[in-house]
Amino acid sequence: MVKISPSLMCMDISKFEEQINCLNQTVDYYHIDIMDGHYVSNMTLSPWFIEQLKDHTETPLDAHLMVTNPIEYVDQLLDLGVEVISIHAEYLNGHAFRLSETIKQRGKKMGVVLNPETPLTIITDYLHLIDIVTVMTVDPGFAGQTFISESLDKVRKLNAYREEHQLAFEIQIDGSCNEKTYHTMIEAGADILIVGTSGLFNLDDSIEKSVELMQGHILAAAQTK
């Protein structure tokens, strides 16, 4: 089965403990969007949120840095025990080899994020260092956007590149992961789906029912791959 990573910027913060306690039993990662209002115009979660979350879960955390100076966050996030640090390719270039050594010395994973317009060629020189490649199927920064189907071509190319070069990175999709798109995402080669409003949190008022519905949608999509 494909792995699941809920985007916690989409959760109901007023029901934080209830939702986290339920999700802890079923998900593989938590996706934490950190935005500074500069790289993208929105502002959401922060390292402070991660510090609070760690008291409620042992699920691995994936910090997605949508900030203008992501390198400055790395040591703080490692100290907080974040499992994956995901940086947009435009900012990772020029730092990838050094950061990979720093992150992996702490036993953690390095991720790279590709915007819809970012070509795969920009990361191929250091793709062997990457643990998770996140392909954005929406523009970064806001929930509830229209799915950009052209991004799936990038997923297919990554899948083929991984097989050709015998690499082990996982392919993660961020954006409009829901019942309408699961099948094509899994078919293209996605290993991890980041689910948000349309894929999880808005399916039902009950988080338990929402998880049940999400799992059914994904199972149905995987069976028709």
Side-chain angles (χ1 to χ4, degrees):
M1 282 289 289
V2 66
K3 295 179 181 178
I4 299 301
S5 181
S7 176
L8 296 190
M9 68 176 278
C10 302
M11 74 183 300
D12 184 346
I13 295 296
S14 70
K15 300 178 180 177
F16 172 84
E17 192 165 1
E18 173 191 345
Q19 294 192 345
I20 291 297
N21 287 342
C22 175
L23 293 170
N24 282 342
Q25 304 173 45
T26 58
V27 304
D28 301 283
Y29 289 97
Y30 285 125
H31 189 79
I32 315 295
D33 288 303
I34 298 176
M35 307 181 194
D36 62 357
H38 297 285
Y39 178 68
V40 293
S41 57
N42 201 2
M43 295 183 69
T44 54
L45 307 178
S46 69
W48 178 85
F49 176 83
I50 292 174
E51 189 173 1
Q52 306 306 307
L53 178 62
K54 290 292 288 184
D55 291 335
H56 297 271
T57 188
E58 295 182 0
T59 300
L61 308 183
D62 175 8
H64 177 187
L65 294 174
M66 286 180 272
V67 297
T68 50
N69 296 299
I71 309 307
E72 296 178 0
Y73 287 72
V74 170
D75 286 339
Q76 181 183 10
L77 292 172
L78 288 173
D79 289 342
L80 287 172
V82 168
E83 181 68 18
V84 187
I85 298 176
S86 294
I87 298 173
H88 283 257
E90 292 81 358
Y91 287 101
L92 187 55
N93 285 353
H95 304 277
F97 287 85
R98 175 177 56 84
L99 274 183
S100 173
E101 184 175 355
T102 297
I103 291 170
K104 292 182 180 181
Q105 280 179 348
R106 300 284 291 271
K108 304 302 181 181
K109 299 178 181 179
M110 185 166 77
V112 63
V113 185
L114 298 173
N115 287 333
E117 303 88 351
T118 305
L120 177 58
T121 52
I122 199 173
I123 65 170
T124 50
D125 284 347
Y126 58 81
L127 196 45
H128 61 288
L129 303 176
I130 298 296
D131 298 293
I132 297 178
V133 181
T134 300
V135 176
M136 299 294 300
T137 53
V138 297
D139 290 329
F142 294 90
Q145 295 183 62
T146 302
F147 175 57
I148 300 173
S149 60
E150 291 87 347
S151 294
L152 291 184
D153 289 336
K154 200 174 297 172
V155 175
R156 295 184 186 97
K157 289 175 183 177
L158 277 165
N159 197 23
Y161 187 96
R162 175 173 60 183
E163 184 174 345
E164 179 184 354
H165 294 272
Q166 297 183 320
L167 298 177
F169 61 83
E170 293 184 290
I171 302 169
Q172 176 168 253
I173 295 184
D174 187 356
S176 293
C177 295
N178 55 50
E179 183 182 10
K180 296 179 180 178
T181 59
Y182 289 146
H183 173 73
T184 52
M185 290 177 173
I186 295 170
E187 189 175 48
D191 304 298
I192 308 169
L193 301 176
I194 296 172
V195 292
T197 52
S198 63
L200 174 61
F201 292 106
N202 280 5
L203 294 180
D204 195 88
D205 290 338
S206 163
I207 187 62
E208 290 82 3
K209 182 63 175 178
S210 292
V211 168
E212 181 183 342
L213 289 169
M214 176 197 68
Q215 291 175 324
H217 296 160
I218 293 173
L219 179 60
Q223 288 175 338
T224 57
K225 181 179 175 183

